[in-house]
Amino acid sequence: MTYRVAMDIGGTFTDVVAYDEDSGTFFAAKAPTTPGDLAEGVFASLGRAVDSPGDISFFVHGTTQGLNALLERKGARVLLLASAGMRDVYHIARGNRDRMFDLHYRKPKPLVDRCDTVEAGGRLDWRGAELEPLDEDAVRAAARRVKDEGFDAVAVSFLFSYVNPDHELLAAKILEQELGEDVVVVLSHQVAGEWREYERTSSAVLEAYTGPVVRRYLSRIEGRFAEHGLTVPVQVMQSSGGIVNAAHARRHPLQTLLSGPVGGTMGGAAAAGLLGRPNAICVDMGGTSFDVSLVLDGRPDVSNEGSADGFPVLMPLVNLHTIGAGGGSLAYAEAGGLRVGPESAGAVPGPACYGRGGTRATVTDANAVLGRVDPEWFAGGHMTLDVTAARQAVGTLAGELGLDPLELAGGICDVANAKMAQAIRTLTVEHGLEPREFVLLAFGGAGPMHAVEIARELGIREVVVPRFPGAFSAWGMLGTEVRRDLTRQFFTSGDDLDGEAMARALAGLEDEALAELAEQGVPVERRRVEHVVDMRYAGQDYTLAVPLLFAAEPAADDFVTTAAARFARLHERRYGHATPEAPVEFVTLRSTALGALPEIAAVPYTADENTSDTVQRRQVVFGGRPHDTAVLRRERLAPGRRVDGPAVIVEATSTTVVPPDSSVTVDENGFLVIEVGNKVGATA
């Protein structure tokens, strides 16, 4: 047998989904993440899905190594090489305040100290013409400092390098001659080939800061897999929602920054297509964090810029909003009130009910006390929960707050649900989107337990729990495509546009993009390129990406009129207004190369006839009082089956909770479709 395998290495669990290419069936498994040696958890989970790595025909995984290094400030020591006179660009940054009314707001501390920023003479003008040659002696002096003071990486960011990269390329050649391969050299035009000096510099610094960590990790994981018999390249999920091989990811490590969570969004887009719902809110609640993303008009919500822990980054990435709210989030008393998260118990020691030494109450402990998890069959029977330890942890905190333990357990869930609902509002209401017009797609190990209550708070009437929810991010990676994104600055007004020149520039990008796919091993018949141009009204600062039908379209006589009309429609949809008669400007060309993987022909979903159909019943607390509740095994629920709440549906990777006022139906895909009720007193 041969398998296509995807893996998501999370903070608490490592999830695996395997697709058997012979039978057309899927398998999912999970094992605790092992922070000391990630490979231990990787092979433990992999061994539960496939017999041998040698049977794997395709392997992709998501990693949070770079993101963790950034969040924990455990990245490389970076020297920043800037143009003469531009030393303070990175530190001055922007004057905007992300939190206008926060009296204690402080800008994030830069990843490079001012004393570690070095200037080098040499200057280009805005067209890329050389005004002054690069000061090569200054670059060599910077290299000596790197060796003398033990820097791990150098970020090079020169003025107008996105137009003409010659000075940055020459600096890189000198640095590599002086430093060899031991020091990572990052060039800003290769990370973000577009304008805005601060954002481009920030992107280069981020890659230099996280790059050595990611590169060491990828080399190590490739080596370990080769030792275990893997014969195919290791593929890595990108922040944009596409995949690349590990060799490319080592050269461009920043593109893996949001590697893990993005798989869930790509799976959400695929699931939305199967459901016939073009708009979906994807919520991934794991052990450590809660990630929110959107599917709009059937496509993942991808932006060409974003931020990472407060630092701007110029690259295509799925719009994700993450908060510290997961099954392992710790509950505690503060100023006489209850708080939940963002601190997490993680994989070690984990929640108290895991029996690994944890003594503080977590969200998972609260669910165990309320009876909403099956302690005998947690994680597919690979873990047995210690409910007594959970009651002790919750009881200790309840004593501090003067509450009944059951009341506090419900309160812990309520506080966590409120935080997660607010995270969803950040991506929807704050951007003019009405949550009630979306379906809530819930996954992650803990997402289906809390999804109905989150939906109720937002007025959402339908929740969908896909198959393998606890490993859904991995499932999403199996169906994505190889992706490469290329940009070229092309600033001109609509009146001055040279359509032939724009068409030639797009043709060049297309050739380069197709070559990238060839390097990734994508067959010719599976390659395609999509183009957009960033446009704005004259005088605006922000732009919108306007799709183009093909690379040569700008050469048409009526292109400016056609493009302006498309831009106006997009502006109306995004901001609620447009000014069709206003002059427009073209800013940036973007080409995305996509390489389709072989299609997955899964067999139709059916119930498992080999699993016991016995329905267990137990007391589960909803609305502060116990209810007689059915406990069902998901694999026994056939398409068309309807179950009225209260019910707890258990499976290998997650648990779905259906409150008393709600009902669930199994659709033809095997998805659980929950109709959310609104009875008073039915919440946790």
Side-chain angles (χ1 to χ4, degrees):
M1 292 186 293
T2 57
Y3 301 93
R4 292 172 64 175
V5 175
M7 178 179 292
D8 178 26
I9 305 172
T12 305
F13 283 99
T14 296
D15 307 316
V16 170
V17 172
Y19 169 69
D20 185 337
E21 294 181 314
D22 296 324
S23 66
T25 55
F26 289 94
F27 305 91
K30 65 196 307 147
T33 296
T34 49
D37 181 7
L38 289 176
E40 183 180 339
V42 164
F43 290 109
S45 59
L46 189 63
R48 295 172 182 175
V50 300
D51 295 329
S52 167
D55 298 330
I56 297 175
S57 63
F58 172 83
F59 177 78
V60 60
H61 82 302
T63 174
T64 56
Q65 289 295 297
L67 183 61
N68 290 343
L70 173 63
L71 296 177
E72 298 170 10
R73 294 298 188 269
K74 294 181 179 178
R77 187 182 178 197
V78 179
L79 182 83
L80 174 59
L81 187 59
S83 295
M86 306 303 291
R87 177 185 184 187
D88 292 316
V89 163
Y90 182 59
H91 284 261
I92 293 173
R94 299 292 180 194
N96 56 303
R97 290 170 60 104
D98 291 335
R99 299 187 297 275
M100 289 292 293
F101 303 104
D102 183 353
L103 298 178
H104 303 286
Y105 173 75
R106 295 291 184 275
K107 289 193 301 185
K109 182 181 178 182
L111 300 175
V112 176
D113 292 335
R114 186 175 183 275
C115 61
D116 293 335
T117 302
V118 176
E119 296 183 357
R123 184 61 61 90
L124 306 173
D125 69 11
W126 68 274
R127 300 178 186 86
E130 185 177 81
L131 300 176
E132 178 185 341
L134 179 67
D135 185 347
E136 298 182 25
D137 290 337
V139 178
R140 290 190 175 88
R144 287 194 296 272
R145 182 176 170 189
V146 168
K147 287 190 288 189
D148 293 343
E149 299 184 23
F151 287 90
D152 304 301
V154 180
V156 183
S157 182
F158 292 154
L159 282 175
F160 306 115
S161 61
Y162 61 88
V163 181
N164 181 353
D166 288 350
H167 281 190
E168 286 195 353
L169 292 171
L170 178 56
K173 182 178 179 180
I174 295 170
L175 290 169
E176 288 166 2
Q177 289 173 348
E178 298 288 331
L179 302 173
E181 297 182 356
D182 294 335
V183 176
V184 173
V185 177
V186 174
L187 306 182
S188 71
H189 78 275
Q190 294 178 344
V191 179
E194 53 188 292
W195 70 343
R196 284 181 295 176
E197 188 71 10
Y198 166 58
E199 285 78 4
R200 182 161 50 85
T201 301
S202 173
S203 301
V205 169
L206 278 167
E207 178 152 304
Y209 187 77
T210 61
V213 174
V214 174
R215 292 177 183 184
R216 286 194 299 269
Y217 163 76
L218 290 174
S219 297
R220 188 167 59 249
I221 204 76
E222 276 192 302
R224 294 294 293 271
F225 268 106
E227 292 172 3
H228 282 74
L230 184 72
T231 58
V232 295
V234 173
Q235 307 285 338
V236 185
M237 195 74 186
Q238 299 180 98
S239 302
S240 63
I243 61 174
V244 291
N245 60 37
H248 180 91
R250 279 197 298 272
R251 297 195 301 271
H252 304 278
L254 185 63
Q255 294 175 5
T256 70
L257 197 65
L258 303 177
S259 175
V262 163
T265 310
M266 303 310 295
L274 292 173
L275 291 163
R277 279 40 162 214
N279 299 319
I281 298 170
C282 303
V283 295
D284 180 0
M285 183 181 180
T288 307
S289 64
F290 178 78
D291 303 312
V292 185
S293 57
L294 302 178
V295 175
L296 302 173
D297 295 327
R299 298 170 67 96
D301 182 24
V302 179
S303 173
N304 291 314
E305 60 181 296
S307 65
D309 202 30
F311 299 105
V313 56
L314 289 178
M315 68 176 183
L317 73 172
V318 171
N319 282 324
L320 277 168
H321 183 59
T322 301
I323 63 170
S329 294
L330 293 166
Y332 57 98
E334 182 179 77
L338 174 64
R339 302 287 184 271
V340 179
E343 185 182 358
S344 172
V348 180
C353 60
Y354 283 9
R356 298 182 185 142
T359 58
R360 298 175 63 185
T362 67
V363 174
T364 297
D365 292 315
N367 279 304
V369 170
L370 296 170
R372 299 181 184 179
V373 293
D374 187 345
E376 304 299 325
W377 208 74
F378 191 75
H382 293 288
M383 290 180 66
T384 300
L385 299 185
D386 187 345
V387 180
T388 300
R391 291 194 180 107
Q392 290 174 345
V394 172
T396 299
L397 181 58
E400 292 181 38
L401 293 168
L403 297 173
D404 175 79
L406 279 179
E407 183 183 7
L408 177 65
I412 291 172
C413 291
D414 284 343
V415 171
N417 292 339
K419 290 181 64 175
M420 291 185 282
Q422 184 56 42
I424 293 173
R425 292 187 185 99
T426 300
L427 275 190
T428 54
V429 175
E430 293 184 13
H431 290 80
L433 300 174
E434 173 53 65
R436 287 177 290 187
E437 297 175 358
F438 289 73
V439 62
L440 185 68
L441 191 68
F443 48 93
M449 278 195 288
H450 294 259
V452 173
E453 302 303 343
I454 296 171
R456 194 196 313 276
E457 187 153 338
L458 294 165
I460 297 173
R461 305 300 299 168
E462 188 177 62
V463 170
V464 175
V465 180
R467 295 182 66 192
F468 318 117
F472 188 70
S473 287
W475 184 85
M477 295 177 199
L478 280 181
T480 190
E481 297 179 295
V482 177
R483 175 169 174 155
R484 288 291 293 117
D485 294 277
L486 303 173
T487 62
R488 182 171 299 174
Q489 209 68 41
F490 197 96
F491 181 79
T492 182
S493 67
D495 293 338
D496 298 329
L497 175 67
D498 182 342
E500 295 286 350
M502 180 181 283
R504 287 194 299 271
L506 286 167
L509 285 175
E510 182 166 314
D511 290 342
E512 187 178 347
L514 291 172
E516 295 267 8
L517 291 183
E519 182 186 339
Q520 296 286 316
V522 179
V524 174
E525 65 274 12
R526 293 185 186 150
R527 304 174 195 165
R528 72 183 192 280
V529 181
E530 297 177 354
H531 304 282
V532 300
V533 56
D534 288 356
M535 294 180 62
R536 65 185 185 183
Y537 287 126
Q540 284 183 329
D541 179 57
Y542 59 85
T543 63
L544 291 175
V546 178
L548 301 178
L549 300 181
F550 45 88
E553 187 184 11
D557 293 337
D558 61 347
F559 173 71
V560 174
T561 302
T562 302
R566 288 180 198 162
F567 173 73
R569 288 194 295 270
L570 288 172
H571 203 282
E572 176 77 32
R573 185 186 308 172
R574 176 69 63 87
Y575 301 108
H577 65 91
T579 312
E581 67 279 4
V584 296
E585 294 175 336
F586 299 92
V587 179
T588 307
L589 305 178
R590 303 185 187 276
S591 298
T592 299
L594 297 166
L597 298 176
E599 186 177 350
I600 292 179
V603 298
Y605 174 76
T606 57
D608 185 355
E609 301 293 339
N610 298 317
T611 306
S612 171
D613 197 23
T614 303
V615 177
Q616 299 178 352
R617 306 197 72 85
R618 66 164 176 262
Q619 296 296 301
V620 178
V621 177
F622 294 97
R625 60 187 183 86
H627 289 71
D628 184 48
T629 302
V631 180
L632 307 167
R633 292 281 289 271
R634 180 170 181 173
E635 60 267 32
R636 285 294 302 176
L637 301 178
R641 175 79 177 272
R642 176 188 169 94
V643 177
D644 291 326
V648 173
I649 302 173
V650 299
E651 57 184 300
T653 66
S654 187
T655 299
T656 300
V657 174
V658 185
D661 64 327
S662 302
S663 63
V664 58
T665 303
V666 183
D667 76 357
E668 65 274 14
N669 303 302
F671 294 175
L672 302 180
V673 181
I674 304 173
E675 183 181 341
V676 179
N678 56 5
K679 290 183 180 178
V680 177
T683 58

